[in-house]
Amino acid sequence: MKKQQIYFVLFCIMIAWGFNVIMTKLLVAEFAPVTMTSFRILTAAASVFIVLFLLKKVRWLTKKEFLYVFISALFNVVGHHYFLSIGLSKTSASNGGLILGMGPLLTTILAILFLGSIITVTRALGIVLGLTGVAFIVLEGNGSIHGVSIGDLYVFFAILSQAASFILIKKISKTLDPRLMTGYMLLIGSVILFAISAFLEPNGLQTMTKGSPSIWAVFFTSAIVATALGHMLYNYAIGKVGAAEASIFINLNPFFALIGAVLFLGEKIKMAQMIGFLFILFGVILGSGAFEELKRHSKRKHQIGA
C-alpha cells in the first residue's frame, strides 16, 4: 500500500473514531458500561480474525510475541476502553472527543520520558499548549471535584493508556503483522474486561438483554467498523509509516467528535471547549514533531529544487 493510500485510510479511520465517541456515549447510556465494552471488543476481535482467516494471516504467537501482545492489550484495550466507557458515562461526548485528541502529544511525552527522545523548544511549547487546552476543557466540566470533572479525568486516563501502548505496538510490529496483533489484543482484552465487569457490574449481563434494534445497530457499527477495522488498519499504518506520522491524523478525531456531538446528541459547544480545541490542535502540531517534520520536508524540497 502506497503512502498516499495509507493517508487516505487514516483519514477515514479518524472519521470512524470521531463518530465512535458518539456511538460509545449512546451505548453506555443503554447498557452497563464495562459489560457492554467487553462484548463490543469481543465482537471486534471475532471480526478481525474472520478477515485474517480469509487473508490466511492467522497463526499462533511465540512466547515473546504473546508477552508483548498481552502487555499491549492491557494498555490499548483494557485500560483504554475501560476508562473511556466509564468516562463517557460521566461527561459529554464533545469533552471526551476533545481530550482524546491529546493522543499524539501524550505519545511524544512518553517517548521523551521512556525512550530518550529529544525534547526541543518547539515540542516543549506544544506540550504546554496541549496541556493548557485540556485544562480549559476539564475545568469547565460539571459533576466535578474541586472543579475537575471525574468523567474528563477518566477519558484522559483512557488516552494516556492508549498512548503508552503505541510505543509497544511499534516495537512488536517489526516481527508480527499488526493486523494479527490487533486481533489477539482485542481477544485478550475482551476476556479481561469481562472478568472485571463480573465484579463491578453483577447485573451487567441483564442490561445486555435489552436495547432497541437501532441501539444494536450502533453496537455492531462501533464494534466492527470503528473498533475492529479501525484498530486493525491503524496499527497496520503504524507499522508502515511509524507512530509519530500516523498519530498526526488523530488531530482530526476531536473535530469529527464535535460534529457528531452536535448533529446526533444535540450538545452545544461551549467557548471553553473551542478555546481548548485550538490549544490542543496547535499543541499537537508543535509537540508531536509534525511542525518540525514539515519544516524539514520543505527544506529538502527547496534544496532539491535549487
Side-chain angles (χ1 to χ4, degrees), residues 215-228:
I215 202 68
W216 279 107
V218 170
F219 175 90
F220 284 109
T221 301
S222 173
I224 297 172
V225 177
T227 304

Side-chain angles (χ1 to χ4, degrees), residues 49-120:
F49 275 108
I50 289 173
V51 173
L52 292 176
F53 180 79
L54 294 175
L55 295 174
K56 298 181 179 180
K57 295 289 185 179
V58 178
R59 68 169 176 83
W60 294 107
L61 301 176
T62 65
K63 290 182 179 180
K64 184 178 180 181
E65 288 173 340
F66 178 81
L67 178 62
Y68 274 109
V69 169
F70 182 82
I71 296 174
S72 296
L74 291 178
F75 286 96
N76 190 278
V77 179
V78 179
H80 176 68
H81 288 284
Y82 170 80
F83 286 123
L84 182 60
S85 62
I86 297 296
L88 286 176
S89 69
K90 300 177 182 295
T91 190
S92 65
S94 52
N95 267 25
L98 289 170
I99 295 170
L100 289 175
M102 280 285 292
L105 201 57
L106 292 176
T107 301
T108 298
I109 294 173
L110 293 177
I112 291 170
L113 292 175
F114 298 106
L115 298 181
S117 296
I118 298 174
I119 180 168
T120 63

